[in-house]
Amino acid sequence: MATIYDVAQRAQVSPATVSRVLNGRSSVDPDMATRVQEAVRELDYRPNSVARNLRRSRTTLWAVIISDVGNPFFTAMVRGVEDVGQRAGYSVVLCNSDEDPAKEAQYVTAALQDQMAGVIISSSGDPANVRRLIEAGTPVVAIDRQVSGANIDSVLVDNEHGAHMATEHLIEGGYHRIACITGPRKVSTAAQRLRGYQQALKAHGFGAPARLVRYSDYREEGGYAAMASLLDAGDPPDAVFAANNLMTVGALECLVDRGITVPAGIGVIGFDEIPWAHLVRPSLSTVSQPTYELGRTAAMLLAERITEPDRPPSTVTLQTTLKVRESSLRS
Amino acid sequence: MATIYDVAQRAQVSPATVSRVLNGRSSVDPDMATRVQEAVRELDYRPNSVARNLRRSRTTLWAVIISDVGNPFFTAMVRGVEDVGQRAGYSVVLCNSDEDPAKEAQYVTAALQDQMAGVIISSSGDPANVRRLIEAGTPVVAIDRQVSGANIDSVLVDNEHGAHMATEHLIEGGYHRIACITGPRKVSTAAQRLRGYQQALKAHGFGAPARLVRYSDYREEGGYAAMASLLDAGDPPDAVFAANNLMTVGALECLVDRGITVPAGIGVIGFDEIPWAHLVRPSLSTVSQPTYELGRTAAMLLAERITEPDRPPSTVTLQTTLKVRESSLRS
DNA sequence: GGATCATGGCGACCATCTACGACGTCGCGC
DNA sequence: GCGCGACGTCGTAGATGGTCGCCATGATCC
């Protein structure tokens, strides 16, 4: 691999001049510039980014810390980040935390050691990891989930409103014992979606008995178990609102196994889409999030923060939309 | 951020000794070692990996070049790579080529400039990109798709056999005008799956008329269009084998739009799973690939090649399995 | 007493960027 | 027309933060 010295020698100039031509920071004699350009082409020279990174003490890497790319929700998000990052000259490093703060901490450490240019994080709930990044001066954007006690750029959706819509929709469909399967207590979206559910019940004069609420883990197995637990308790629900896509699938599987028909036996609505939800029978009603747009927006915020570190942090809240399909329509 | 010099000063040793303690390459007096450890802890010192990378002239990054993480097939693969990479101390950089050789070339350039430790690639069909990596001495592993004319580590599946099974299954189910929607001509898996289909037809005394074959793009829209084209041609098929998951979904959507029932009107079988295929009605018959395992295996091969560059390249072929569900069972 | 071995420090090195200084040119003013 | 100052441009050299080869030193063993 050719170095800047090889180019300099061939173009009969100093390495500094080559650097100047390539980075355009200061003007150089057009003659020399063309000589340098030619030498670069002839040698197929590409600057060594590791050396450049060391000198500039920042890289062109972004860490994207999420719980699991396997979840289509995060997949689309990551794709949105990557598309924007790529255009802006950044590479995306994928970090699956599996909701484990310890694993998340490892990735944060790596981001710091590797001097990554920025981090986009869907926090597993422990604000300490984000705090470390802030203290080190690494630009951070929170995506999907808020980070408590940290005043940082955030891209969220109107979770409470979405959950409210979903619950209200079930109420209006004539369901009256509506259960909620929500996520881990430490995760902000789980709390917000639960609150939206509770407020919708209250607004319609229903009680919100704790017996109809299950805290679970945002996973398929958790959704299955929570559904089973709801069914096994006395006075089972006639509808269920599940706070994310995987738990919705888990709940559905439980209902299939028990031979309970949807929506006649139990109405089901989920938060966030599953791929090809329209092909599933009964087709699945959901609160749909603009996941790709979520990723794009976070990436744009991160890029801006890197170029303009002192800008006050902003929070962008994107809208959810209710997608009514068959699983929540009783008649 | 503390540097190695700060640690050295506090521990009353030379920077070299600190380095030795941290990397364990040569023995150090236990007394000094503990002094160093303490200083490291007190200063919360973390080696600057950029500097380390420059000196060692290699990083701890892997590029994973695929067409699209949005495709669940690749998602699971990437997850497999990441899990193994993370344990081995590598970070995974995500690269979506969208089947575009030019975009792929950009990522290859980035991998070279960033001195990445290795590349796992599902080639879009242009062997030139892989050749550049090989020439630069960057370890490469081909995943899912072969790279023609390159003798490199590869992890593949038995595409021909899988396609053969799928086609044979349709034949045995009584279908006799079986169409095939395959992928881009340049992609190895498309050719292999087509061949498996053709051989199965031949083995059972059927002709393999070109009128029943469509080359498409491995995307949903392409599958839709190919299905429409098959239906609009004279003498339409009574069954279809689609060579990947997205095209299968596209074909299904076309059939739904035309009001053709599956499997009564047309039998359908796809290659590779879609998530929650069992929830789709009719549930989808597929040739299932061990996608996560594919990623894991490729990652392990890459790790081995990095530590042992002169090992002869090996090709691992994983097995596909036929998952018979409702969409291919006529009666 | 000499050879061997373990171990620590010095300094070069990785490839690039950039502060600083030097040099040349041009313009303006006397 | 000459001198001085300002500005533009180029090269030298140092800095970035670790790693590692080489050499010196001291201890140990035969």
Side-chain angles (χ1 to χ4, degrees):
Chain A
M1 199 73 168
T3 74
I4 203 169
Y5 295 100
D6 301 328
V7 177
Q9 200 174 2
R10 178 176 269 258
Q12 308 272 37
V13 296
S14 77
T17 303
V18 177
S19 171
R20 279 188 273 259
V21 171
L22 265 54
N23 296 308
R25 288 206 190 288
S26 104
S27 56
V28 291
D29 184 76
D31 235 42
M32 279 186 158
T34 38
R35 283 218 310 278
V36 169
Q37 305 277 20
E38 270 174 30
V40 164
R41 215 169 334 110
E42 287 166 11
L43 295 172
D44 191 32
Y45 167 72
R46 312 216 177 256
N48 179 326
S49 5
V50 182
R52 163 179 289 170
N53 292 341
L54 175 60
R55 184 57 233 255
R56 291 189 177 167
S57 60
R58 68 196 164 90
T59 65
T60 54
L61 291 176
W62 284 352
V64 176
I65 306 179
I66 56 176
S67 66
D68 180 17
V69 254
N71 184 337
F73 168 73
F74 289 114
T75 308
M77 227 176 67
V78 167
R79 183 66 218 247
V81 173
E82 213 267 331
D83 282 358
V84 173
Q86 215 249 343
R87 280 168 186 275
Y90 296 95
S91 295
V92 167
V93 174
L94 185 65
C95 311
N96 296 296
S97 73
D98 289 321
E99 306 282 358
D100 176 1
K103 222 176 154 195
E104 191 178 281
Q106 277 185 37
Y107 284 114
V108 167
T109 301
L112 291 172
Q113 276 190 254
D114 289 356
Q115 316 245 80
M116 295 203 191
V119 175
I120 292 178
I121 184 169
S122 174
S123 166
S124 66
D126 186 353
N129 288 325
V130 172
R131 222 177 293 134
R132 281 173 63 205
L133 291 167
I134 295 171
E135 278 166 15
T138 304
V140 195
V141 174
I143 192 166
D144 175 47
R145 302 177 183 178
Q146 276 178 307
V147 177
S148 59
N151 184 25
I152 55 173
D153 290 306
S154 306
V155 184
L156 310 168
V157 299
D158 54 350
N159 287 299
E160 220 170 302
H161 180 241
H164 194 107
M165 282 194 296
T167 310
E168 198 160 55
H169 163 67
L170 289 173
I171 293 170
E172 286 166 355
Y175 295 104
H176 56 271
R177 282 191 53 77
I178 302 169
C180 175
I181 303 176
T182 190
R185 285 173 200 271
K186 282 167 76 178
V187 176
S188 68
T189 53
Q192 290 166 352
R193 292 171 195 172
L194 175 61
R195 205 175 319 134
Y197 154 84
Q198 288 168 331
Q199 289 185 345
L201 289 184
K202 238 172 254 173
H204 286 263
F206 286 79
R211 275 174 301 128
L212 288 175
V213 172
R214 293 292 182 279
Y215 285 90
S216 185
D217 56 4
Y218 273 164
R219 292 174 218 243
E220 212 168 318
E221 299 74 29
Y224 190 104
M227 189 73 243
S229 148
L230 284 166
L231 293 174
D232 292 339
D235 219 1
D238 62 358
V240 62
F241 162 58
N244 88 332
N245 52 4
L246 299 186
M247 295 195 305
T248 311
V249 170
L252 274 179
E253 276 163 349
C254 178
L255 294 171
V256 169
D257 284 358
R258 304 261 181 137
I260 300 173
T261 57
V262 175
I266 280 194
V268 175
I269 190 163
F271 208 105
D272 195 51
E273 295 280 11
I274 67 168
W276 307 299
H278 56 290
L279 293 177
V280 172
R281 288 292 169 272
S283 62
L284 202 56
S285 297
T286 59
V287 178
S288 174
Q289 304 186 65
T291 47
Y292 179 79
E293 210 50 47
L294 221 57
R296 276 183 53 85
T297 309
M300 290 185 317
L301 281 183
L302 184 56
E304 282 173 28
R305 170 134 323 270
I306 289 170
T307 53
E308 227 182 308
D310 297 325
R311 211 170 35 101
S314 61
T315 295
V316 177
T317 304
L318 301 180
Q319 299 299 309
T320 55
T321 50
L322 186 67
K323 302 272 182 189
V324 176
R325 301 200 185 86
E326 296 164 359
S327 69
S328 59
L329 295 175
R330 200 194 311 233
S331 61
Chain B
M1 199 73 169
T3 74
I4 201 169
Y5 297 98
D6 302 327
V7 177
Q9 200 174 2
R10 180 176 267 258
Q12 308 273 35
V13 297
S14 77
T17 303
V18 177
S19 171
R20 277 188 274 259
V21 171
L22 265 54
N23 296 306
R25 289 206 189 288
S26 109
S27 54
V28 180
D29 182 78
D31 235 40
M32 281 187 158
T34 37
R35 282 218 310 279
V36 169
Q37 305 277 21
E38 270 174 29
V40 164
R41 214 168 334 107
E42 286 164 11
L43 295 173
D44 191 32
Y45 168 71
R46 313 219 175 254
N48 178 326
S49 7
V50 182
R52 162 183 290 166
N53 292 341
L54 176 60
R55 180 58 234 245
R56 290 195 176 160
S57 59
R58 67 197 164 86
T59 65
T60 53
L61 292 175
W62 284 353
V64 176
I65 305 179
I66 56 176
S67 65
D68 179 18
V69 251
N71 184 335
F73 168 74
F74 288 113
T75 307
M77 227 176 65
V78 167
R79 182 67 218 245
V81 172
E82 213 266 332
D83 281 358
V84 172
Q86 215 250 345
R87 279 169 187 276
Y90 296 95
S91 295
V92 166
V93 174
L94 185 66
C95 311
N96 295 295
S97 73
D98 288 319
E99 305 281 359
D100 176 1
K103 221 175 154 195
E104 189 177 284
Q106 277 184 37
Y107 285 114
V108 167
T109 301
L112 292 172
Q113 274 190 257
D114 290 357
Q115 315 244 78
M116 296 202 191
V119 175
I120 292 178
I121 184 170
S122 174
S123 168
S124 66
D126 186 354
N129 288 324
V130 172
R131 221 176 294 131
R132 281 172 63 206
L133 291 167
I134 296 171
E135 279 165 15
T138 303
V140 195
V141 174
I143 192 164
D144 175 47
R145 302 176 182 178
Q146 276 177 306
V147 177
S148 59
N151 185 25
I152 55 174
D153 291 305
S154 307
V155 184
L156 311 168
V157 300
D158 54 349
N159 288 299
E160 218 169 303
H161 180 241
H164 193 106
M165 282 194 296
T167 311
E168 198 161 55
H169 163 67
L170 290 172
I171 294 170
E172 287 167 354
Y175 295 104
H176 56 273
R177 283 192 52 76
I178 301 169
C180 175
I181 303 176
T182 190
R185 284 173 201 273
K186 283 167 75 178
V187 176
S188 67
T189 52
Q192 289 166 351
R193 292 171 196 174
L194 176 61
R195 204 175 318 133
Y197 154 84
Q198 289 168 330
Q199 288 185 345
L201 289 183
K202 236 171 254 171
H204 286 262
F206 287 79
R211 280 173 299 126
L212 287 175
V213 172
R214 293 292 182 279
Y215 285 89
S216 186
D217 57 4
Y218 272 164
R219 292 174 218 244
E220 212 168 318
E221 299 75 29
Y224 190 104
M227 190 71 243
S229 148
L230 284 166
L231 293 173
D232 292 338
D235 220 2
D238 61 358
V240 61
F241 162 59
N244 87 334
N245 52 5
L246 299 186
M247 295 195 305
T248 311
V249 170
L252 274 181
E253 276 163 349
C254 178
L255 293 171
V256 170
D257 284 357
R258 303 258 181 141
I260 300 173
T261 57
V262 175
I266 281 193
V268 174
I269 189 164
F271 208 106
D272 194 49
E273 295 281 10
I274 66 168
W276 307 298
H278 58 288
L279 294 177
V280 172
R281 288 290 168 274
S283 62
L284 201 57
S285 298
T286 59
V287 179
S288 173
Q289 304 186 62
T291 48
Y292 179 79
E293 209 50 46
L294 221 55
R296 274 183 55 84
T297 310
M300 290 186 317
L301 281 182
L302 184 56
E304 281 173 28
R305 170 134 325 270
I306 288 170
T307 53
E308 227 182 306
D310 297 325
R311 211 171 34 103
S314 60
T315 295
V316 177
T317 304
L318 302 180
Q319 299 299 309
T320 55
T321 49
L322 186 67
K323 302 271 181 187
V324 176
R325 300 199 185 88
E326 296 164 359
S327 68
S328 60
L329 294 175
R330 198 191 316 231
S331 58

